[in-house]
Amino acid sequence: MNAKSKIFRLSISAAAIAFAFSATQGFAGDAKTYPGSMGVRYAGATPSYNFSAMGNPSSTQWMYVDLPVINDDMGNDISSSYVRVLDRHYSSDVRCSINSAYWNSSASAFYGYWGANKSSTGSGNNIQSLPTGGVGGKGTPYHHYFSCRVPPAYSGNRSYIVSYYVNEN
């Protein structure tokens, strides 16, 4: 077998493996993990960033952020989600919910689905996952996001939004 024939067979094999892998990924749903730094502050303290996590450096103010989600599988709702947080305040928790909203022009208001608030439990140096569940609202009029509040720093220890995850299927 000559070199051209070997290269051709390797190319065909690689293409077949790539196709098989992509086909199985299509059935697994559309899962995404985002860094906390993608969050957008809408009130309170100005965030600090550390290794792409978003933290609250203020010792007096809460920080309120929205975490945008891309729903590119328009035929499906968000079926599961969580936010990974680092809660370092001794008595106040990080709290997040997943939401889905759209603008209703005839009512001049946002409508949608608002998920239940999920809170961290206790403080420390371990990352906690807040299971925020799923949320309805599929299709083009909706946009999805998490809304979180992060407590002030305590004795110089900042709390963080580390990352967040959604699955569409």
Side-chain angles (χ1 to χ4, degrees):
M1 182 179 320
N2 66 25
K4 285 185 182 180
S5 178
K6 285 183 182 179
I7 291 172
F8 177 74
R9 287 183 183 197
L10 284 172
S11 298
I12 295 297
S13 297
I17 290 169
F19 176 77
F21 180 72
S22 66
T24 59
Q25 289 296 313
F27 295 112
D30 189 7
K32 298 174 187 72
T33 300
Y34 302 91
S37 61
M38 286 187 64
V40 179
R41 178 188 69 91
Y42 67 87
T46 300
S48 64
Y49 300 95
N50 191 9
F51 295 97
S52 207
M54 175 187 274
N56 184 355
S58 173
S59 62
T60 58
Q61 288 185 311
W62 284 76
M63 180 177 71
Y64 298 88
V65 298
D66 283 342
L67 311 173
V69 171
I70 297 170
N71 182 355
D72 55 0
D73 186 354
M74 294 308 223
N76 287 309
D77 295 331
I78 303 294
S79 59
S80 61
S81 65
Y82 60 81
V83 181
R84 296 178 69 225
V85 303
L86 180 58
D87 179 357
R88 298 177 78 197
H89 193 283
Y90 78 103
S91 65
S92 296
D93 296 329
V94 179
R95 185 178 77 189
C96 297
S97 65
I98 188 163
N99 308 298
S100 176
Y102 71 93
W103 179 252
N104 182 328
S105 58
S106 53
S108 291
F110 277 104
Y111 283 28
Y113 304 94
W114 279 255
N117 287 319
K118 301 296 182 180
S119 298
S120 56
T121 54
S123 64
N125 287 321
N126 293 320
I127 292 174
Q128 300 179 43
S129 290
L130 309 182
T132 46
V135 68
K138 57 187 170 190
T140 54
Y142 289 93
H143 65 275
H144 299 81
Y145 64 99
F146 293 89
S147 194
C148 299
R149 68 174 198 177
V150 180
Y154 177 74
S155 294
N157 294 312
R158 298 175 184 179
S159 294
Y160 287 90
I161 303 291
V162 177
S163 64
Y164 55 106
Y165 163 91
V166 295
N167 188 15
E168 309 164 52
N169 66 8

